[in-house]
Structures are given as C-alpha cells and as structure tokens.
Amino acid sequence: PDNSIVVFKNKSLKPSILKSSLNKDIALLRVPGVTCPCAPIASVAPKVDSEVEAVGFPMNGNIGLQIKTKGHYQGETEDFLISTAPIAPGNSGGGLFSCNVSRHCILVGITVAAPLVPIGWGASLVTHLNLSVSYKDIRILLRDAKTP
C-alpha cells in the first residue's frame, strides 16, 4: 500500500514493494538507505517437536523490545507451519527460527497468527497453536521477485 512506512533507527522510511503474496500476507520490501544481513532460509521443515524460536515486537512494539519466545514445531498444514512458540499481536512478520546446539539459526517461517476462539461474550488467544508462513512460501516469493 502507498501508506507503508518502515521505522529504522528512529527514522520513518518509505519502502517499495518488490513482490507480495496477498493470500499469504507477506511482502518483500526494499527500504532506501537500509542494508541488513539476511538469515539463511530453511530448505526442509524442522523435525516435529524440535525447538523453534519466534522473534518479534509484540504489543505492536509498544514495549520497545524485541522479544524471543521458544516453543516446538508441531507440523504443517497446506497453508501454515504450526508451532507452540508463543506470539502476540505485533509479532506478525517476525521470524520463526530453528537453531542447532551451536546457535546456528535458520529461518523456517514468518509468524502471522495466533488464532482467537470465542469464549462466552469475548474471545481468547489460543495458546500453543501459532501459525507461520512456511519457508517454502518465502523461497517462492524470493524466487519470483524481480530484484537487481
């Protein structure tokens, strides 16, 4: 969208969208003046019940800290990876990583949702059922992007 803003080092910057997937709710952005290291992207799924880490800025960044939570990879559906790594509103778009014992981490997904279920007159987050866009979809987005 034309109103997208990226905040980097306390500066508001206007990104350009190189490629997006509306049905997966992910996009590859170019942000002028910003270069960042890239995380290696998985080529296979983690083993079921292996530890994963979700990294992001929960509560829409209002607490001002990047938070890492740990959980376990539970498997995948046609659309998403499922993990027990707790996420909250604001975590969406953060990485889901699989790390080995020497702390070499690879990106396995991008967090997108912690489902809500109706309870009485309200709703509650479903804990231990968190969804991420798969490394496969990330690879497809990168492959299809027209980057210089």
Side-chain angles (χ1 to χ4, degrees), residues 99-135:
C99 303
N100 64 21
V101 292
S102 62
R103 299 299 305 152
H104 173 70
C105 302
I106 59 172
L107 182 69
V108 296
I110 297 173
T111 60
V112 291
L116 291 172
V117 292
I119 295 178
W121 293 98
S124 178
L125 286 175
V126 177
T127 57
H128 304 314
L129 176 64
N130 300 303
L131 307 177
S132 298
V133 172
S134 170
Y135 63 93

PDB file of all heavy atoms in Angstrom, residues 99-135:
ATOM      1  N   CYS A  99      17.136 -23.468  15.541  1.00  0.00           N
ATOM      2  CA  CYS A  99      18.543 -23.267  15.887  1.00  0.00           C
ATOM      3  C   CYS A  99      19.151 -24.582  16.349  1.00  0.00           C
ATOM      4  O   CYS A  99      18.524 -25.339  17.086  1.00  0.00           O
ATOM      5  CB  CYS A  99      18.678 -22.230  17.004  1.00  0.00           C
ATOM      6  SG  CYS A  99      17.935 -20.632  16.602  1.00  0.00           S
ATOM      7  N   ASN A 100      20.417 -24.819  15.950  1.00  0.00           N
ATOM      8  CA  ASN A 100      21.081 -26.019  16.432  1.00  0.00           C
ATOM      9  C   ASN A 100      21.821 -25.711  17.737  1.00  0.00           C
ATOM     10  O   ASN A 100      21.788 -24.583  18.225  1.00  0.00           O
ATOM     11  CB  ASN A 100      22.005 -26.626  15.359  1.00  0.00           C
ATOM     12  CG  ASN A 100      23.150 -25.713  14.976  1.00  0.00           C
ATOM     13  OD1 ASN A 100      23.530 -24.814  15.724  1.00  0.00           O
ATOM     14  ND2 ASN A 100      23.718 -25.945  13.812  1.00  0.00           N
ATOM     15  N   VAL A 101      22.489 -26.697  18.294  1.00  0.00           N
ATOM     16  CA  VAL A 101      23.129 -26.524  19.606  1.00  0.00           C
ATOM     17  C   VAL A 101      24.232 -25.473  19.588  1.00  0.00           C
ATOM     18  O   VAL A 101      24.533 -24.879  20.617  1.00  0.00           O
ATOM     19  CB  VAL A 101      23.670 -27.858  20.164  1.00  0.00           C
ATOM     20  CG1 VAL A 101      22.527 -28.780  20.511  1.00  0.00           C
ATOM     21  CG2 VAL A 101      24.621 -28.511  19.192  1.00  0.00           C
ATOM     22  N   SER A 102      24.842 -25.226  18.449  1.00  0.00           N
ATOM     23  CA  SER A 102      25.884 -24.195  18.380  1.00  0.00           C
ATOM     24  C   SER A 102      25.304 -22.813  18.048  1.00  0.00           C
ATOM     25  O   SER A 102      26.028 -21.891  17.733  1.00  0.00           O
ATOM     26  CB  SER A 102      26.966 -24.585  17.368  1.00  0.00           C
ATOM     27  OG  SER A 102      26.408 -24.696  16.080  1.00  0.00           O
ATOM     28  N   ARG A 103      23.961 -22.688  18.125  1.00  0.00           N
ATOM     29  CA  ARG A 103      23.235 -21.433  17.915  1.00  0.00           C
ATOM     30  C   ARG A 103      23.292 -20.939  16.471  1.00  0.00           C
ATOM     31  O   ARG A 103      23.161 -19.753  16.210  1.00  0.00           O
ATOM     32  CB  ARG A 103      23.704 -20.327  18.874  1.00  0.00           C
ATOM     33  CG  ARG A 103      23.517 -20.638  20.329  1.00  0.00           C
ATOM     34  CD  ARG A 103      22.089 -20.879  20.760  1.00  0.00           C
ATOM     35  NE  ARG A 103      21.230 -19.773  20.414  1.00  0.00           N
ATOM     36  CZ  ARG A 103      19.922 -19.895  20.164  1.00  0.00           C
ATOM     37  NH1 ARG A 103      19.351 -21.062  20.224  1.00  0.00           N
ATOM     38  NH2 ARG A 103      19.200 -18.853  19.858  1.00  0.00           N
ATOM     39  N   HIS A 104      23.488 -21.842  15.527  1.00  0.00           N
ATOM     40  CA  HIS A 104      23.335 -21.502  14.114  1.00  0.00           C
ATOM     41  C   HIS A 104      21.846 -21.614  13.814  1.00  0.00           C
ATOM     42  O   HIS A 104      21.261 -22.687  13.926  1.00  0.00           O
ATOM     43  CB  HIS A 104      24.152 -22.450  13.226  1.00  0.00           C
ATOM     44  CG  HIS A 104      23.888 -22.251  11.769  1.00  0.00           C
ATOM     45  ND1 HIS A 104      24.296 -21.129  11.085  1.00  0.00           N
ATOM     46  CD2 HIS A 104      23.220 -23.011  10.879  1.00  0.00           C
ATOM     47  CE1 HIS A 104      23.912 -21.215   9.824  1.00  0.00           C
ATOM     48  NE2 HIS A 104      23.252 -22.350   9.680  1.00  0.00           N
ATOM     49  N   CYS A 105      21.222 -20.498  13.453  1.00  0.00           N
ATOM     50  CA  CYS A 105      19.771 -20.460  13.277  1.00  0.00           C
ATOM     51  C   CYS A 105      19.408 -20.264  11.805  1.00  0.00           C
ATOM     52  O   CYS A 105      20.094 -19.536  11.089  1.00  0.00           O
ATOM     53  CB  CYS A 105      19.167 -19.336  14.105  1.00  0.00           C
ATOM     54  SG  CYS A 105      19.507 -19.467  15.865  1.00  0.00           S
ATOM     55  N   ILE A 106      18.323 -20.918  11.392  1.00  0.00           N
ATOM     56  CA  ILE A 106      17.808 -20.733  10.037  1.00  0.00           C
ATOM     57  C   ILE A 106      16.335 -20.346  10.127  1.00  0.00           C
ATOM     58  O   ILE A 106      15.614 -20.767  11.033  1.00  0.00           O
ATOM     59  CB  ILE A 106      17.994 -21.980   9.150  1.00  0.00           C
ATOM     60  CG1 ILE A 106      17.297 -23.199   9.749  1.00  0.00           C
ATOM     61  CG2 ILE A 106      19.455 -22.259   8.892  1.00  0.00           C
ATOM     62  CD1 ILE A 106      17.288 -24.399   8.830  1.00  0.00           C
ATOM     63  N   LEU A 107      15.908 -19.521   9.186  1.00  0.00           N
ATOM     64  CA  LEU A 107      14.524 -19.072   9.126  1.00  0.00           C
ATOM     65  C   LEU A 107      13.657 -20.197   8.573  1.00  0.00           C
ATOM     66  O   LEU A 107      13.902 -20.692   7.472  1.00  0.00           O
ATOM     67  CB  LEU A 107      14.421 -17.836   8.225  1.00  0.00           C
ATOM     68  CG  LEU A 107      13.057 -17.201   8.086  1.00  0.00           C
ATOM     69  CD1 LEU A 107      12.629 -16.537   9.391  1.00  0.00           C
ATOM     70  CD2 LEU A 107      13.061 -16.183   6.954  1.00  0.00           C
ATOM     71  N   VAL A 108      12.653 -20.615   9.339  1.00  0.00           N
ATOM     72  CA  VAL A 108      11.737 -21.644   8.861  1.00  0.00           C
ATOM     73  C   VAL A 108      10.362 -21.077   8.533  1.00  0.00           C
ATOM     74  O   VAL A 108       9.575 -21.703   7.844  1.00  0.00           O
ATOM     75  CB  VAL A 108      11.606 -22.833   9.843  1.00  0.00           C
ATOM     76  CG1 VAL A 108      12.923 -23.566   9.979  1.00  0.00           C
ATOM     77  CG2 VAL A 108      11.090 -22.409  11.199  1.00  0.00           C
ATOM     78  N   GLY A 109      10.077 -19.862   9.038  1.00  0.00           N
ATOM     79  CA  GLY A 109       8.780 -19.275   8.769  1.00  0.00           C
ATOM     80  C   GLY A 109       8.708 -17.811   9.175  1.00  0.00           C
ATOM     81  O   GLY A 109       9.640 -17.267   9.772  1.00  0.00           O
ATOM     82  N   ILE A 110       7.590 -17.188   8.829  1.00  0.00           N
ATOM     83  CA  ILE A 110       7.276 -15.821   9.234  1.00  0.00           C
ATOM     84  C   ILE A 110       5.965 -15.891  10.003  1.00  0.00           C
ATOM     85  O   ILE A 110       4.950 -16.358   9.473  1.00  0.00           O
ATOM     86  CB  ILE A 110       7.127 -14.885   8.015  1.00  0.00           C
ATOM     87  CG1 ILE A 110       8.447 -14.788   7.259  1.00  0.00           C
ATOM     88  CG2 ILE A 110       6.654 -13.501   8.453  1.00  0.00           C
ATOM     89  CD1 ILE A 110       8.350 -14.018   5.958  1.00  0.00           C
ATOM     90  N   THR A 111       5.992 -15.442  11.259  1.00  0.00           N
ATOM     91  CA  THR A 111       4.795 -15.545  12.096  1.00  0.00           C
ATOM     92  C   THR A 111       3.669 -14.672  11.546  1.00  0.00           C
ATOM     93  O   THR A 111       3.901 -13.560  11.094  1.00  0.00           O
ATOM     94  CB  THR A 111       5.097 -15.150  13.555  1.00  0.00           C
ATOM     95  OG1 THR A 111       5.567 -13.810  13.592  1.00  0.00           O
ATOM     96  CG2 THR A 111       6.130 -16.074  14.183  1.00  0.00           C
ATOM     97  N   VAL A 112       2.458 -15.244  11.571  1.00  0.00           N
ATOM     98  CA  VAL A 112       1.316 -14.496  11.046  1.00  0.00           C
ATOM     99  C   VAL A 112       0.099 -14.487  11.960  1.00  0.00           C
ATOM    100  O   VAL A 112      -0.689 -13.556  11.890  1.00  0.00           O
ATOM    101  CB  VAL A 112       0.872 -14.994   9.642  1.00  0.00           C
ATOM    102  CG1 VAL A 112       1.908 -14.657   8.601  1.00  0.00           C
ATOM    103  CG2 VAL A 112       0.544 -16.459   9.640  1.00  0.00           C
ATOM    104  N   ALA A 113      -0.088 -15.488  12.814  1.00  0.00           N
ATOM    105  CA  ALA A 113      -1.343 -15.514  13.566  1.00  0.00           C
ATOM    106  C   ALA A 113      -1.267 -16.387  14.811  1.00  0.00           C
ATOM    107  O   ALA A 113      -0.636 -17.437  14.812  1.00  0.00           O
ATOM    108  CB  ALA A 113      -2.473 -16.020  12.683  1.00  0.00           C
ATOM    109  N   ALA A 114      -1.952 -15.909  15.824  1.00  0.00           N
ATOM    110  CA  ALA A 114      -2.287 -16.703  16.999  1.00  0.00           C
ATOM    111  C   ALA A 114      -3.814 -16.713  17.005  1.00  0.00           C
ATOM    112  O   ALA A 114      -4.438 -15.683  17.253  1.00  0.00           O
ATOM    113  CB  ALA A 114      -1.727 -16.068  18.264  1.00  0.00           C
ATOM    114  N   PRO A 115      -4.429 -17.838  16.665  1.00  0.00           N
ATOM    115  CA  PRO A 115      -5.888 -17.855  16.472  1.00  0.00           C
ATOM    116  C   PRO A 115      -6.667 -17.429  17.713  1.00  0.00           C
ATOM    117  O   PRO A 115      -6.251 -17.648  18.841  1.00  0.00           O
ATOM    118  CB  PRO A 115      -6.182 -19.319  16.140  1.00  0.00           C
ATOM    119  CG  PRO A 115      -4.883 -19.880  15.685  1.00  0.00           C
ATOM    120  CD  PRO A 115      -3.826 -19.127  16.420  1.00  0.00           C
ATOM    121  N   LEU A 116      -7.814 -16.804  17.473  1.00  0.00           N
ATOM    122  CA  LEU A 116      -8.759 -16.434  18.524  1.00  0.00           C
ATOM    123  C   LEU A 116      -9.912 -17.422  18.506  1.00  0.00           C
ATOM    124  O   LEU A 116     -10.349 -17.859  17.446  1.00  0.00           O
ATOM    125  CB  LEU A 116      -9.320 -15.029  18.282  1.00  0.00           C
ATOM    126  CG  LEU A 116      -8.367 -13.860  18.448  1.00  0.00           C
ATOM    127  CD1 LEU A 116      -9.048 -12.573  17.980  1.00  0.00           C
ATOM    128  CD2 LEU A 116      -7.939 -13.723  19.890  1.00  0.00           C
ATOM    129  N   VAL A 117     -10.390 -17.761  19.689  1.00  0.00           N
ATOM    130  CA  VAL A 117     -11.588 -18.600  19.780  1.00  0.00           C
ATOM    131  C   VAL A 117     -12.619 -17.865  20.620  1.00  0.00           C
ATOM    132  O   VAL A 117     -12.265 -17.186  21.591  1.00  0.00           O
ATOM    133  CB  VAL A 117     -11.296 -19.987  20.396  1.00  0.00           C
ATOM    134  CG1 VAL A 117     -10.448 -20.823  19.482  1.00  0.00           C
ATOM    135  CG2 VAL A 117     -10.674 -19.877  21.766  1.00  0.00           C
ATOM    136  N   PRO A 118     -13.897 -17.990  20.251  1.00  0.00           N
ATOM    137  CA  PRO A 118     -14.939 -17.339  21.047  1.00  0.00           C
ATOM    138  C   PRO A 118     -15.085 -18.018  22.409  1.00  0.00           C
ATOM    139  O   PRO A 118     -15.090 -19.239  22.498  1.00  0.00           O
ATOM    140  CB  PRO A 118     -16.203 -17.508  20.198  1.00  0.00           C
ATOM    141  CG  PRO A 118     -15.884 -18.517  19.166  1.00  0.00           C
ATOM    142  CD  PRO A 118     -14.400 -18.671  19.095  1.00  0.00           C
ATOM    143  N   ILE A 119     -15.146 -17.203  23.453  1.00  0.00           N
ATOM    144  CA  ILE A 119     -15.379 -17.705  24.804  1.00  0.00           C
ATOM    145  C   ILE A 119     -16.418 -16.793  25.437  1.00  0.00           C
ATOM    146  O   ILE A 119     -16.140 -15.619  25.683  1.00  0.00           O
ATOM    147  CB  ILE A 119     -14.081 -17.713  25.637  1.00  0.00           C
ATOM    148  CG1 ILE A 119     -13.083 -18.689  25.040  1.00  0.00           C
ATOM    149  CG2 ILE A 119     -14.379 -18.059  27.098  1.00  0.00           C
ATOM    150  CD1 ILE A 119     -11.759 -18.741  25.762  1.00  0.00           C
ATOM    151  N   GLY A 120     -17.588 -17.326  25.682  1.00  0.00           N
ATOM    152  CA  GLY A 120     -18.665 -16.506  26.255  1.00  0.00           C
ATOM    153  C   GLY A 120     -18.965 -15.330  25.349  1.00  0.00           C
ATOM    154  O   GLY A 120     -19.245 -15.491  24.171  1.00  0.00           O
ATOM    155  N   TRP A 121     -18.838 -14.117  25.885  1.00  0.00           N
ATOM    156  CA  TRP A 121     -19.116 -12.904  25.128  1.00  0.00           C
ATOM    157  C   TRP A 121     -17.873 -12.317  24.489  1.00  0.00           C
ATOM    158  O   TRP A 121     -17.925 -11.282  23.853  1.00  0.00           O
ATOM    159  CB  TRP A 121     -19.779 -11.863  26.027  1.00  0.00           C
ATOM    160  CG  TRP A 121     -21.126 -12.290  26.455  1.00  0.00           C
ATOM    161  CD1 TRP A 121     -21.458 -12.882  27.635  1.00  0.00           C
ATOM    162  CD2 TRP A 121     -22.321 -12.214  25.697  1.00  0.00           C
ATOM    163  NE1 TRP A 121     -22.794 -13.175  27.673  1.00  0.00           N
ATOM    164  CE2 TRP A 121     -23.354 -12.766  26.477  1.00  0.00           C
ATOM    165  CE3 TRP A 121     -22.644 -11.747  24.428  1.00  0.00           C
ATOM    166  CZ2 TRP A 121     -24.664 -12.850  26.047  1.00  0.00           C
ATOM    167  CZ3 TRP A 121     -23.953 -11.831  24.011  1.00  0.00           C
ATOM    168  CH2 TRP A 121     -24.942 -12.372  24.800  1.00  0.00           C
ATOM    169  N   GLY A 122     -16.737 -12.939  24.667  1.00  0.00           N
ATOM    170  CA  GLY A 122     -15.500 -12.388  24.126  1.00  0.00           C
ATOM    171  C   GLY A 122     -14.738 -13.423  23.327  1.00  0.00           C
ATOM    172  O   GLY A 122     -15.314 -14.357  22.786  1.00  0.00           O
ATOM    173  N   ALA A 123     -13.445 -13.244  23.282  1.00  0.00           N
ATOM    174  CA  ALA A 123     -12.580 -14.172  22.564  1.00  0.00           C
ATOM    175  C   ALA A 123     -11.263 -14.260  23.312  1.00  0.00           C
ATOM    176  O   ALA A 123     -10.895 -13.371  24.065  1.00  0.00           O
ATOM    177  CB  ALA A 123     -12.351 -13.702  21.130  1.00  0.00           C
ATOM    178  N   SER A 124     -10.561 -15.341  23.088  1.00  0.00           N
ATOM    179  CA  SER A 124      -9.273 -15.531  23.746  1.00  0.00           C
ATOM    180  C   SER A 124      -8.288 -16.099  22.732  1.00  0.00           C
ATOM    181  O   SER A 124      -8.667 -16.857  21.834  1.00  0.00           O
ATOM    182  CB  SER A 124      -9.436 -16.510  24.912  1.00  0.00           C
ATOM    183  OG  SER A 124      -8.200 -16.738  25.537  1.00  0.00           O
ATOM    184  N   LEU A 125      -7.012 -15.717  22.894  1.00  0.00           N
ATOM    185  CA  LEU A 125      -5.982 -16.296  22.038  1.00  0.00           C
ATOM    186  C   LEU A 125      -5.830 -17.769  22.360  1.00  0.00           C
ATOM    187  O   LEU A 125      -5.873 -18.167  23.519  1.00  0.00           O
ATOM    188  CB  LEU A 125      -4.631 -15.601  22.272  1.00  0.00           C
ATOM    189  CG  LEU A 125      -4.448 -14.211  21.705  1.00  0.00           C
ATOM    190  CD1 LEU A 125      -3.108 -13.639  22.143  1.00  0.00           C
ATOM    191  CD2 LEU A 125      -4.525 -14.225  20.191  1.00  0.00           C
ATOM    192  N   VAL A 126      -5.671 -18.580  21.327  1.00  0.00           N
ATOM    193  CA  VAL A 126      -5.379 -19.994  21.524  1.00  0.00           C
ATOM    194  C   VAL A 126      -3.884 -20.093  21.785  1.00  0.00           C
ATOM    195  O   VAL A 126      -3.079 -19.733  20.929  1.00  0.00           O
ATOM    196  CB  VAL A 126      -5.749 -20.827  20.270  1.00  0.00           C
ATOM    197  CG1 VAL A 126      -5.364 -22.273  20.465  1.00  0.00           C
ATOM    198  CG2 VAL A 126      -7.221 -20.691  19.963  1.00  0.00           C
ATOM    199  N   THR A 127      -3.529 -20.537  22.966  1.00  0.00           N
ATOM    200  CA  THR A 127      -2.098 -20.681  23.257  1.00  0.00           C
ATOM    201  C   THR A 127      -1.614 -22.003  22.692  1.00  0.00           C
ATOM    202  O   THR A 127      -2.365 -22.958  22.568  1.00  0.00           O
ATOM    203  CB  THR A 127      -1.832 -20.622  24.770  1.00  0.00           C
ATOM    204  OG1 THR A 127      -2.596 -21.645  25.404  1.00  0.00           O
ATOM    205  CG2 THR A 127      -2.206 -19.273  25.334  1.00  0.00           C
ATOM    206  N   HIS A 128      -0.386 -22.043  22.327  1.00  0.00           N
ATOM    207  CA  HIS A 128       0.265 -23.249  21.815  1.00  0.00           C
ATOM    208  C   HIS A 128      -0.311 -23.734  20.495  1.00  0.00           C
ATOM    209  O   HIS A 128      -0.286 -24.923  20.202  1.00  0.00           O
ATOM    210  CB  HIS A 128       0.271 -24.360  22.858  1.00  0.00           C
ATOM    211  CG  HIS A 128       0.903 -23.939  24.144  1.00  0.00           C
ATOM    212  ND1 HIS A 128       2.088 -23.257  24.199  1.00  0.00           N
ATOM    213  CD2 HIS A 128       0.510 -24.068  25.418  1.00  0.00           C
ATOM    214  CE1 HIS A 128       2.403 -23.007  25.443  1.00  0.00           C
ATOM    215  NE2 HIS A 128       1.461 -23.475  26.201  1.00  0.00           N
ATOM    216  N   LEU A 129      -0.830 -22.822  19.702  1.00  0.00           N
ATOM    217  CA  LEU A 129      -1.245 -23.135  18.331  1.00  0.00           C
ATOM    218  C   LEU A 129      -1.007 -21.876  17.521  1.00  0.00           C
ATOM    219  O   LEU A 129      -1.902 -21.066  17.311  1.00  0.00           O
ATOM    220  CB  LEU A 129      -2.722 -23.550  18.257  1.00  0.00           C
ATOM    221  CG  LEU A 129      -3.272 -23.794  16.849  1.00  0.00           C
ATOM    222  CD1 LEU A 129      -2.557 -24.970  16.200  1.00  0.00           C
ATOM    223  CD2 LEU A 129      -4.753 -24.023  16.880  1.00  0.00           C
ATOM    224  N   ASN A 130       0.230 -21.669  17.116  1.00  0.00           N
ATOM    225  CA  ASN A 130       0.607 -20.436  16.437  1.00  0.00           C
ATOM    226  C   ASN A 130       1.025 -20.732  15.008  1.00  0.00           C
ATOM    227  O   ASN A 130       1.665 -21.744  14.733  1.00  0.00           O
ATOM    228  CB  ASN A 130       1.688 -19.729  17.241  1.00  0.00           C
ATOM    229  CG  ASN A 130       1.166 -19.401  18.630  1.00  0.00           C
ATOM    230  OD1 ASN A 130       0.157 -18.728  18.761  1.00  0.00           O
ATOM    231  ND2 ASN A 130       1.811 -19.912  19.654  1.00  0.00           N
ATOM    232  N   LEU A 131       0.636 -19.860  14.107  1.00  0.00           N
ATOM    233  CA  LEU A 131       0.788 -20.108  12.674  1.00  0.00           C
ATOM    234  C   LEU A 131       1.867 -19.222  12.068  1.00  0.00           C
ATOM    235  O   LEU A 131       2.001 -18.062  12.423  1.00  0.00           O
ATOM    236  CB  LEU A 131      -0.540 -19.851  11.969  1.00  0.00           C
ATOM    237  CG  LEU A 131      -1.762 -20.591  12.541  1.00  0.00           C
ATOM    238  CD1 LEU A 131      -3.020 -20.178  11.800  1.00  0.00           C
ATOM    239  CD2 LEU A 131      -1.560 -22.091  12.507  1.00  0.00           C
ATOM    240  N   SER A 132       2.597 -19.817  11.129  1.00  0.00           N
ATOM    241  CA  SER A 132       3.639 -19.095  10.393  1.00  0.00           C
ATOM    242  C   SER A 132       3.564 -19.465   8.926  1.00  0.00           C
ATOM    243  O   SER A 132       3.245 -20.597   8.573  1.00  0.00           O
ATOM    244  CB  SER A 132       5.036 -19.477  10.917  1.00  0.00           C
ATOM    245  OG  SER A 132       5.172 -19.125  12.270  1.00  0.00           O
ATOM    246  N   VAL A 133       3.886 -18.495   8.066  1.00  0.00           N
ATOM    247  CA  VAL A 133       4.047 -18.777   6.646  1.00  0.00           C
ATOM    248  C   VAL A 133       5.301 -19.634   6.517  1.00  0.00           C
ATOM    249  O   VAL A 133       6.314 -19.387   7.168  1.00  0.00           O
ATOM    250  CB  VAL A 133       4.194 -17.461   5.842  1.00  0.00           C
ATOM    251  CG1 VAL A 133       4.563 -17.737   4.400  1.00  0.00           C
ATOM    252  CG2 VAL A 133       2.914 -16.652   5.929  1.00  0.00           C
ATOM    253  N   SER A 134       5.255 -20.631   5.679  1.00  0.00           N
ATOM    254  CA  SER A 134       6.333 -21.610   5.540  1.00  0.00           C
ATOM    255  C   SER A 134       7.549 -21.084   4.780  1.00  0.00           C
ATOM    256  O   SER A 134       7.430 -20.223   3.906  1.00  0.00           O
ATOM    257  CB  SER A 134       5.790 -22.834   4.800  1.00  0.00           C
ATOM    258  OG  SER A 134       6.813 -23.719   4.436  1.00  0.00           O
ATOM    259  N   TYR A 135       8.696 -21.658   5.106  1.00  0.00           N
ATOM    260  CA  TYR A 135       9.935 -21.400   4.367  1.00  0.00           C
ATOM    261  C   TYR A 135       9.730 -21.630   2.872  1.00  0.00           C
ATOM    262  O   TYR A 135      10.337 -20.964   2.042  1.00  0.00           O
ATOM    263  CB  TYR A 135      11.083 -22.280   4.895  1.00  0.00           C
ATOM    264  CG  TYR A 135      10.819 -23.753   4.696  1.00  0.00           C
ATOM    265  CD1 TYR A 135      11.270 -24.414   3.558  1.00  0.00           C
ATOM    266  CD2 TYR A 135      10.077 -24.476   5.621  1.00  0.00           C
ATOM    267  CE1 TYR A 135      11.000 -25.756   3.352  1.00  0.00           C
ATOM    268  CE2 TYR A 135       9.809 -25.821   5.427  1.00  0.00           C
ATOM    269  CZ  TYR A 135      10.263 -26.453   4.298  1.00  0.00           C
ATOM    270  OH  TYR A 135       9.984 -27.775   4.093  1.00  0.00           O
TER     271      TYR A 135
END
